[in-house]
Amino acid sequence: MTPSVDEFAHGAREFLDSLTRDRGDAAATKPVKSRYALFSGSTDDEIAAAVEYQRALYDAGYGWITGPVEDGGAGLPPKYERAFAAVERGFPIPSKGPLSVSLGMVAPTLAQFGSPAAKNKWLKGLRRADVVGCQLFSEPAAGSDLAAVRTKAVRENGDGDWVLNGQKVWTSGAHYSQVGIALTRTSDGPRHKNLTAFAVDMTAPGVEVRPLRQITGAADFNEVFLTDVVVPDEYRLGEVGEGWGVCIAMLMHERNAIGGSSSGGSGLFRMDDLAAWIADLGRGDDPVVVDAFAKVYSGVTSAKAMRARADANLKANGVPGPEMSLGKLALTANLQALSDLVSVVLGPKLVADTGAPQSYAWSELVLSVPGMRIGGGTDEIHRNTVAERFLGLPKDKQK
């Protein structure tokens, strides 16, 4: 029998309490962070911790709460997932950042478009974190214009395996991924109808991953070179020439995953913690600080309301819609407001490591916030989506 939401939340609380206690953590203790960053370059230990935690969740029935039972999910409505997330925020769990692309983008796209063979090979592994996935979309000559990708996929003998050649860039987590979803050009036909998507084994011969160093000193992103990489036809996602539909669906899943962090899912917007931190520094009565805090608070509160509406639409329609673009825009606005807040509160302490807790720790976040206006689709692209698909405004004339 399906438990009530309250019963489910109680069971989740008991599970997380036992899990964190077994790890030697005090459930009520929140560790002081040594660094805050959006693109922090996950260490091997952080990746291992995220994988270990996801496996524990999956084995206990909390790893894919809304997934179909036949595919390894729990088959519960979204309200159970929201209830679990609310419980989870009260525990000192590892960062899920290393698995965000894998769980939020690759797994749902594979579930939606993958063949039985592809799902059997990767889907459960992705959800349990036995396998990690990445997104092979962007290219040096095709950033926001993904329809201009040049990576080619040619079919051997007309009906055999596919051979991929090309280059991808800005691929998050490729250096520790085992599968990637690639958008390729399979013909010289009409724009948007000449693309096909594939699930690519990242350990296959011909796949080369080169990390890219960022302004923060980390290396979250990578270049990926595909040289005569053989992909079986059974790992094709959707029909030949219909890769653009797969691409759009994956971008909607991406915006759904990113938009969820605009209201606190990333852990950066814990308003009670921020208020306590400001009070500890003796800045709680400064009107400039209060104003900056209010901007963050109001933005996060608005994002929660938008997220609730997006979840309702997702439940009704089955796939993420254009409202996810609002979530992404809210995220970049809220992150900029947070960056402004910590800059006002800390002043010079932001750029000089004096050893004071939670001071210099924010420097990487301030450096990396501008990158979010580009990552996950530029803000300009998302504004176009809102204007055209929400407001019904005319599209730009093609030059």
Side-chain angles (χ1 to χ4, degrees):
M1 295 180 63
T2 302
S4 69
V5 173
D6 288 342
E7 291 171 337
F8 178 82
H10 178 73
R13 193 172 292 107
E14 288 188 333
F15 165 74
L16 289 172
D17 184 55
S18 174
L19 183 66
T20 53
R21 188 168 57 249
D22 289 345
R23 286 173 44 224
D25 298 325
T29 300
K30 295 179 180 178
V32 175
K33 296 190 70 169
S34 60
R35 60 197 292 231
Y36 296 85
L38 299 176
F39 313 115
S40 56
S42 300
T43 65
D44 290 344
D45 288 343
E46 289 168 340
I47 296 168
V51 167
E52 180 184 8
Y53 178 65
Q54 181 62 23
R55 287 175 180 169
L57 290 186
Y58 187 92
D59 292 344
Y62 301 110
W64 192 13
I65 294 169
T66 60
V69 174
E70 60 271 21
D71 288 333
L76 295 172
K79 61 184 178 181
Y80 287 81
E81 191 167 60
R82 292 193 294 271
F84 181 81
V87 171
E88 191 180 45
R89 285 194 287 270
F91 290 84
I93 63 171
S95 169
K96 297 180 181 181
L99 300 177
S100 60
V101 174
S102 187
L103 296 174
M105 305 172 204
V106 176
T109 304
L110 184 66
Q112 186 175 352
F113 294 99
S115 67
K119 290 182 182 179
N120 183 63
K121 182 174 178 65
W122 283 303
L123 188 54
K124 180 180 177 180
L126 285 165
R127 288 296 181 181
R128 193 177 179 271
D130 295 327
V131 174
V132 178
C134 62
Q135 181 192 62
L136 299 168
F137 277 14
S138 295
E139 296 185 4
S144 296
D145 184 13
L146 288 175
V149 296
R150 296 179 180 178
T151 295
K152 289 188 176 182
V154 178
R155 200 166 190 184
E156 295 181 325
N157 303 319
D159 60 356
D161 295 339
W162 296 82
V163 178
L164 276 57
N165 282 279
Q167 178 187 356
K168 300 294 181 176
V169 74
W170 308 120
T171 308
S172 301
H175 53 299
Y176 57 87
S177 293
Q178 291 79 46
V179 61
I181 292 184
L183 185 65
T184 70
R185 183 179 296 272
T186 48
S187 78
D188 294 324
R191 183 178 169 88
H192 296 132
K193 298 183 183 298
N194 57 350
L195 305 172
T196 306
F198 297 91
V200 178
D201 186 342
M202 296 294 288
T203 66
V207 178
E208 180 185 1
V209 178
R210 299 180 189 173
L212 294 168
R213 191 67 56 186
Q214 300 144 216
I215 191 174
T216 60
D220 284 281
F221 310 112
N222 304 270
E223 294 178 290
V224 179
F225 295 86
L226 306 171
T227 306
D228 293 332
V229 178
V230 177
V231 178
D233 185 58
E234 62 185 3
Y235 297 155
R236 171 171 41 85
L237 304 183
E239 298 300 323
V240 176
E242 296 183 5
W244 186 248
V246 178
C247 172
I248 293 299
M250 190 170 191
L251 292 177
M252 290 298 103
H253 289 303
E254 178 181 45
R255 290 161 192 178
N256 181 41
I258 292 174
S261 59
S262 64
S263 57
S266 65
L268 290 169
F269 299 112
R270 295 181 183 273
M271 302 311 299
D272 290 345
D273 290 350
L274 284 171
W277 171 64
I278 291 169
D280 288 343
L281 293 175
R283 302 297 306 278
D285 294 329
D286 187 324
V288 177
V289 172
V290 171
D291 181 66
F293 180 86
K295 288 180 180 178
V296 179
Y297 186 90
S298 60
V300 171
T301 302
S302 298
K304 287 180 179 178
M306 285 196 300
R307 181 67 187 184
R309 182 171 63 180
D311 286 343
N313 290 339
L314 178 60
K315 180 180 179 181
N317 300 320
V319 294
E323 66 273 2
M324 298 307 175
S325 287
L326 290 172
K328 201 275 181 176
L329 290 168
L331 175 60
T332 54
N334 290 341
L335 285 170
Q336 186 59 60
L338 179 61
S339 175
D340 294 341
L341 170 64
V342 299
S343 298
V344 167
V345 171
L346 293 173
K349 294 179 181 178
L350 180 67
V351 295
D353 190 357
T354 64
Q358 297 191 64
S359 55
Y360 183 71
W362 289 97
S363 63
E364 286 185 63
L365 179 120
V366 174
L367 286 172
S368 53
V369 161
M372 275 307 300
R373 292 196 286 271
I374 301 173
T378 66
D379 281 7
E380 290 76 13
I381 291 292
H382 287 287
R383 290 191 181 99
N384 277 345
T385 299
V386 172
E388 295 169 4
R389 300 183 63 186
F390 259 168
L391 304 178
L393 298 178
K395 294 184 178 182
D396 292 338
K397 293 183 179 179
Q398 296 293 329
K399 296 181 180 180

